[in-house]
Each structure stands twice: as structure tokens, then as C-alpha cells.
Amino acid sequence: MKKLFGLSFTALIIALSTLQVGVTSCKKEVTKYDTVTIINTDTLLVESVDTVFAMDVAKWDAYSFLTDALVAPGATTYMNTGEGIKLVAQATRYGLRLQTKKEIGIKDKTIYFKWKANGQGDFAHFVIQLKYDPTETDALPPVQNIDFPAFSTKNAVNGSYVIANDTWYYTRIRAIPGTDKYQFVTATGNYDNNGGTMIVDKEVPVYTKHGYLSFRIGDTFSASTYLVIAEARIAS
């Protein structure tokens, strides 16, 4: 774990973090305190803008959990389908992460994801995240990202929520006014604020409100595990 050097420097960093000025850089130096991420290095402004992300692989990047490297779209990585962008595991125990091509801001915004997954009858792990450095590993505990509550097929691990194969889920991540927390809600049938049946309702602290919006297949016992993302958007 990296440490901050000196009380005055720590106070300065926390003050800058409180300003919530979205910035981007090739790599961020962070300090982790449980679920708290404090950004120490950042260089470019990022605005929080309502956005509907195109479900087209040309508009997204993907990184292999096996190599931590950027991978090209294709039949064995990620591809366009009639239902949305489909990601496939790279090997047994190794998934794939889909993410926005550039950092986005989420301050005072709500994130929406419509998605489904299939673990092929075995355990598979799925996580929505805000990624700070795309080249850093997605191993636990997270260092260069904020992981939102996880999902898994077949059985739960470390508090993950068990989901059914090939069932559409609707996740809404809402900024809670006046706080650094986001309400993470997932429902079936539709979004919870549009008649869906809520299955997850958690609060997650997010102190640095900009990064690469990501969705990953993590640990998986089947090399045929897949994830389909039909919708991704940011709204006020």
C-alpha cells in the first residue's frame, strides 16, 4: 500500500478530492483506506455529462484479465450482437473487462446498465466498476478502481449476489445528494424506478467521481462464460 508523506500533504489531497474536479491521466497514484480511494496524481479536467453510450464495440475498449492488456474485438473477446455487446471469458479463471474509451464524470449523475450473463452452469463473477488506471490488474482488493457490489452465478463468494443465467438485470447507480455515496440498485423486469423488482439495494462511497466506466467478467470456472450489455447511459 502506498503511503502519503506528511500531514499537510494529506490535508491538501483530501481538500482537492473534496472539490471533485474530474481529471484524467495515464496512471493515477492512489492510497487505499478500506473502500476509500484518494487520488494523488491527476492532470486533466473531466466533466459530468449526460451520455447514452453506443452499444458498438468500436466505441468501447476491452482488457484481458489474463494479461491486463488491451484486446481487439472479435469472436473470442467482445463483439456486437443483436442484443448488445457480448464479452466472453478469456480462459478458465480469467475474464474480460469492457470499458469506455475515455474517462467520464459521474458527479451528481445516475448510471444505468441493462445486462445479462451466463456462467455455463458454474461459478462466474461479474462486477460494475469505475476504473482509474486501465492497465492495472482487477485482482482483489481493488487498488486502481472502485468496485460496486458484485454478482455471481451458481453460488455467492465474498458477499456477491447470485443471479440467474440469461436473465436481464437493470442496474441503477444514483448519486445521493449532499454525500459522497451512491445508491446501487439492481432489479429484474425493468429499472427499479420504472416498475422493476428490486433484488439489490446498497450504498457505496465514491470519493473520486471520474474514471473509465467498466463492466467485467472476473473469476470464472468456465472458459465459455459470457456477459451481454444491452444499455449503458448516464443521466441527471
Side-chain angles (χ1 to χ4, degrees):
M1 176 182 293
K2 296 181 177 65
K3 296 183 178 179
L4 297 174
F5 299 95
L7 178 60
S8 61
F9 181 72
T10 301
L12 174 61
I13 294 304
I14 293 174
L16 289 172
S17 179
T18 303
L19 291 175
Q20 293 306 332
V21 177
V23 292
T24 186
S25 61
C26 178
K27 184 180 180 71
K28 294 181 173 63
E29 179 186 355
V30 303
T31 299
K32 292 291 293 185
Y33 295 103
D34 297 326
T35 59
V36 179
T37 302
I38 300 175
I39 298 298
N40 300 332
T41 304
D42 249 335
T43 54
L44 182 66
L45 295 177
V46 173
E47 295 184 57
S48 298
V49 179
D50 289 6
T51 306
V52 177
F53 297 98
M55 291 294 99
D56 183 339
V57 294
K59 305 297 184 181
W60 296 77
D61 285 335
Y63 282 78
S64 170
F65 195 84
L66 179 62
T67 64
D68 294 323
L70 189 67
V71 299
T76 60
T77 53
Y78 66 119
M79 67 213 76
N80 293 327
T81 74
E83 294 183 313
I85 298 177
K86 181 179 181 180
L87 297 71
V88 295
Q90 297 302 282
T92 301
R93 309 303 298 269
Y94 294 101
L96 189 73
R97 182 180 75 248
L98 186 76
Q99 67 174 49
T100 52
K101 281 188 171 291
K102 62 180 181 179
E103 291 194 60
I104 54 93
I106 63 168
K107 182 175 172 58
D108 300 325
K109 297 295 184 181
T110 300
I111 303 165
Y112 292 86
F113 272 110
K114 177 185 176 182
W115 58 279
K116 67 177 181 179
N118 191 315
Q120 303 297 339
D122 218 325
F123 172 81
H125 199 238
F126 306 92
V127 185
I128 295 171
Q129 65 182 171
L130 191 63
K131 190 75 176 176
Y132 298 131
D133 179 9
T135 65
E136 282 286 335
T137 179
D138 282 321
L140 299 176
V143 174
Q144 286 286 345
N145 51 279
I146 294 293
D147 279 359
F148 292 98
F151 300 90
S152 60
T153 52
K154 190 176 181 180
N155 58 275
V157 172
N158 296 328
S160 62
Y161 294 91
V162 177
I163 58 171
N165 287 328
D166 287 325
T167 296
W168 286 113
Y169 292 94
Y170 301 80
T171 295
R172 186 172 67 96
I173 307 170
R174 178 185 70 90
I176 299 175
T179 76
D180 285 313
K181 294 182 178 181
Y182 281 70
Q183 180 188 21
F184 180 93
V185 180
T186 295
T188 56
N190 208 329
Y191 293 101
D192 69 290
N193 60 348
N194 198 28
T197 301
M198 187 185 305
I199 63 168
V200 178
D201 185 4
K202 299 283 288 186
E203 290 185 1
V204 180
V206 181
Y207 295 93
T208 304
K209 300 173 180 61
H210 53 89
Y212 299 87
L213 188 60
S214 309
F215 206 146
R216 76 172 187 262
I217 303 172
D219 188 11
T220 174
F221 287 5
S222 171
S224 299
T225 291
Y226 63 80
L227 169 67
V228 179
I229 302 172
E231 179 182 49
R233 58 187 170 95
I234 299 173
S236 297

